[in-house]
Amino acid sequence: MEPSGDHALVTGAGTGIGRATARLLGLRGDEVAVHYRSHKEEAEALVQELASGGARAFPVAADLTMKKEVEALVQQVGARFPSLEVLVHNAGEYPRRSVDDLDEEEFLFTLMTNLWGPYLLTRELLPLLRKAPRARIVFVSSILAYNGSAHGADYAASKAGLLGLAKSLARELAPTITVNVVVPGSIDTAILAGDTPDVRAARERSIPLGRVGTPEDIAEAIAFLASPRGSYLTGTAIHVNGGLRMD
Ligand SMILES: NC(=O)c1ccc[n+]([C@@H]2O[C@H](COP(=O)([O-])OP(=O)(O)OC[C@H]3O[C@@H](n4cnc5c(N)ncnc54)[C@H](OP(=O)(O)O)[C@@H]3O)[C@@H](O)[C@H]2O)c1
């Protein structure tokens, strides 16, 4: 495989969408920092899989709500990479709680995970991103940022916050760094694991393309934004949802 010369960090890459994204970036020749929090074995297995195909990758661990861990992560990435061309903020939590049950600590924790963590990581990585002649940042939001969630006000608010964050960074970091958002609909990962067969069938009926998305469907959009082919997009969002919502 021809190395692209790009260095990429994908958060939450031990599972689901992040894993598919890290794999795709590795297969196209990027050197990939495969971030995980608890899925160490899965992250290491992906690194092995990529290495056996000639790609370069290494695992990095951090709880992105912990400032010290974010700083340590940034140090490790900086020790391996001379510059960072691709930063994918995929890690996120969807705790599913109704408004009656959602207390202050839980609400703020979701914001810490889904909004503050990505902001902090971006800020700490700016020196490395600025060493690249051009760099691309991609956030993973959610269709629920637009539709709202009947059991996740904290989640929908955090994912809507990412849209404002991305647009602000897009203005501030232009022209050398582009900042965009991918907005998934219903994607077949651990997040949907609690679906009963009835819920799953109803979910599929509600999607014009007739199926839930795959992690790879989302990875393709992220990889596009994180490539020269996406170089004239910044401050925008790409919806990948099988027609579930048409924006
Ligand atoms: N699946 C969907 O239908 C859907 C729809 C819209 C948006 N999304 C978004 O897509 C992204 C990926 O989710 P997924 O569907 O692929 O589910 P997933 O497999 O559960 O992935 C979530 C990832 O986030 C990481 N993570 C969570 N909290 C973290 C923290 N505090 N510090 C570091 N890492 C943390 C997890 O790491 P560990 O497992 O290693 O702890 C995990 O790899 C999320 O942002 C999610 O909100 C998903």
Side-chain angles (χ1 to χ4, degrees):
M1 165 196 326
E2 270 304 296
S4 67
D6 282 354
H7 307 92
L9 168 61
V10 181
T11 67
T15 65
I17 293 168
R19 186 179 174 84
T21 302
R23 180 182 285 118
L24 189 58
L25 297 183
L27 291 176
R28 81 176 184 191
D30 292 8
E31 184 172 355
V32 187
V34 177
H35 162 266
Y36 67 93
R37 178 187 55 179
S38 54
H39 283 83
K40 183 173 194 275
E41 274 179 27
E42 290 78 358
E44 288 176 349
L46 178 62
V47 166
Q48 285 307 317
E49 178 193 320
L50 286 170
S52 66
R56 287 173 304 163
F58 62 97
V60 278
D63 181 333
L64 298 174
T65 63
M66 310 293 282
K67 191 157 189 280
K68 288 247 169 315
E69 294 195 23
V70 171
E71 287 167 355
L73 166 70
V74 168
Q75 253 197 344
Q76 285 175 64
V77 172
R80 286 286 292 251
F81 290 164
S83 55
L84 187 66
E85 285 74 26
V86 174
L87 172 56
V88 180
H89 292 287
N90 160 78
E93 292 274 24
Y94 184 17
R96 291 177 198 258
R97 285 174 295 236
S98 71
V99 69
D100 292 312
D101 301 328
L102 189 51
D103 67 23
E104 178 183 348
E105 197 183 328
E106 290 167 335
F107 193 104
L108 292 178
F109 187 73
T110 303
L111 289 187
M112 286 287 288
T113 307
N114 293 351
L115 188 54
W116 169 251
Y119 168 73
L120 178 65
L121 183 59
T122 304
R123 198 185 69 189
E124 297 297 311
L125 282 168
L126 275 180
L128 206 57
L129 287 159
R130 285 182 167 135
K131 284 187 184 158
R134 48 125 198 102
R136 325 241 178 252
I137 300 174
V138 182
F139 291 95
V140 178
S141 177
S142 166
I143 192 171
L144 301 180
Y146 293 79
N147 282 356
S149 166
H151 39 250
D154 53 340
Y155 179 78
S158 69
K159 292 294 188 179
L162 281 181
L163 303 174
L165 176 61
K167 289 179 192 179
S168 305
L169 292 175
R171 290 186 185 280
E172 204 166 337
L173 303 180
T176 51
I177 303 178
T178 64
V179 187
N180 292 291
V181 184
V182 169
V183 185
S186 294
I187 309 302
D188 209 357
T189 69
I191 281 186
L192 300 191
D195 278 6
T196 62
D198 284 354
V199 168
R200 175 70 173 221
R203 199 186 280 289
E204 286 171 351
R205 275 197 305 276
S206 69
I207 299 171
L209 293 187
R211 63 172 177 88
V212 300
T214 63
E216 289 72 24
D217 289 325
I218 305 303
E220 288 290 349
I222 294 172
F224 167 73
L225 288 170
S227 78
R229 287 172 297 140
S231 64
Y232 199 55
L233 288 92
T234 199
T236 196
I238 295 186
H239 295 255
V240 187
N241 59 33
L244 181 56
R245 180 186 164 102
M246 300 190 180
D247 281 288

